[in-house]
Amino acid sequence: IIVNGMKIGFVGASNAEKLRYTPQATEDTPGILRAYDTTEYNAVIQEASKNCDYLIAYIHWGTEDSNYLNSLQQSMGREFLNSGADIVVGGHPHVLQGMEYVDGKPIVYSLGDFWFNSETKYTGLLKLRINFDGLKEMSFVPALQTNYTTQHIETSEKQRKLFDFLEELSINIKIDDKGVITQK
């Protein structure tokens, strides 16, 4: 995607299907990039990083319904940053998980479900402000999924409660009252 002359790349892969229903892409058939062995995804990240100004690596990973990231997610996230991603964003657990900065670059382990089912749980949007020098600001737009809808959390008290929860799940981040995320 080119925005204001800046080329933003996005690459995705999956590491979370127990039964592996989604087919692996081949040269002749559509499907996904499976990252149970991360070698190919790391190569895709390396190549993509050469062809864009900012690269987002999205990974479908983690343990369903667990707010706690696991050591495999941490090691893989670091691999993807080392391969050339500017940020790693994860999904699959269906709930929020923490965040961390590694050498100044963020890993967002799970944003939860934005709109999935009738459960009531925290969710939100990740907002990135970037330029040719990299990430200038990352913030979280707080929301609540409930009864098949997702709504912005309006009151500052309820927002702060979500931000505190997300900070507790995270390794080295701080979230201010406006949702701006910084490294501790």
Side-chain angles (χ1 to χ4, degrees):
I1 301 169
I2 298 177
V3 179
N4 296 329
M6 187 173 174
K7 188 185 278 187
I8 302 165
F10 185 90
V11 294
S14 180
N15 177 276
E17 286 188 287
K18 289 181 183 175
L19 300 177
R20 300 184 186 176
Y21 288 117
T22 310
Q24 170 90 15
T26 69
E27 287 189 29
D28 302 322
T29 59
I32 62 170
L33 172 58
R34 289 189 180 147
Y36 298 94
D37 173 349
T38 57
T39 305
E40 188 175 355
Y41 192 38
N42 283 320
V44 167
I45 291 169
Q46 284 178 329
E47 185 62 29
S49 70
K50 296 174 192 171
N51 295 302
C52 63
D53 300 304
Y54 191 85
L55 181 62
I56 301 165
Y58 179 82
I59 183 73
H60 184 241
W61 64 1
T63 304
E64 278 192 23
D65 299 316
S66 174
N67 291 114
Y68 303 100
L69 60 105
N70 61 51
S71 59
L72 181 61
Q73 287 171 275
Q74 280 191 289
S75 63
M76 288 172 60
R78 285 170 169 74
E79 272 185 50
F80 304 150
L81 292 177
N82 289 335
S83 292
D86 293 297
I87 184 173
V88 175
V89 179
H92 172 72
H94 299 281
V95 293
L96 288 177
Q97 288 185 337
M99 303 176 188
E100 76 172 310
Y101 279 87
V102 177
D103 298 326
K105 292 183 178 182
I107 302 172
V108 179
Y109 289 98
S110 176
L111 290 174
D113 287 335
F114 191 71
W115 185 71
F116 189 68
N117 59 29
S118 64
E119 294 176 5
T120 298
K121 54 188 159 184
Y122 286 139
T123 188
L125 298 172
L126 189 66
K127 189 174 176 182
L128 305 176
R129 190 169 56 87
I130 59 176
N131 67 19
F132 287 100
D133 294 324
L135 180 64
K136 294 298 161 195
E137 183 178 273
M138 181 169 73
S139 59
F140 189 78
V141 180
L144 186 71
Q145 176 196 281
T146 185
N147 198 28
Y148 297 100
T149 66
T150 299
Q151 298 176 4
H152 180 254
I153 295 175
E154 297 288 335
T155 68
S156 58
E157 296 82 20
K158 289 181 180 179
Q159 289 180 359
R160 185 71 255 163
K161 189 174 177 183
L162 187 155
F163 295 153
D164 289 345
F165 175 70
L166 193 49
E167 281 182 0
E168 287 175 23
L169 297 174
S170 297
I171 294 169
N172 62 353
I173 65 133
K174 178 79 178 140
I175 306 174
D176 72 14
D177 289 339
K178 294 182 180 183
V180 176
I181 301 163
T182 53
Q183 183 173 352
K184 278 201 277 188

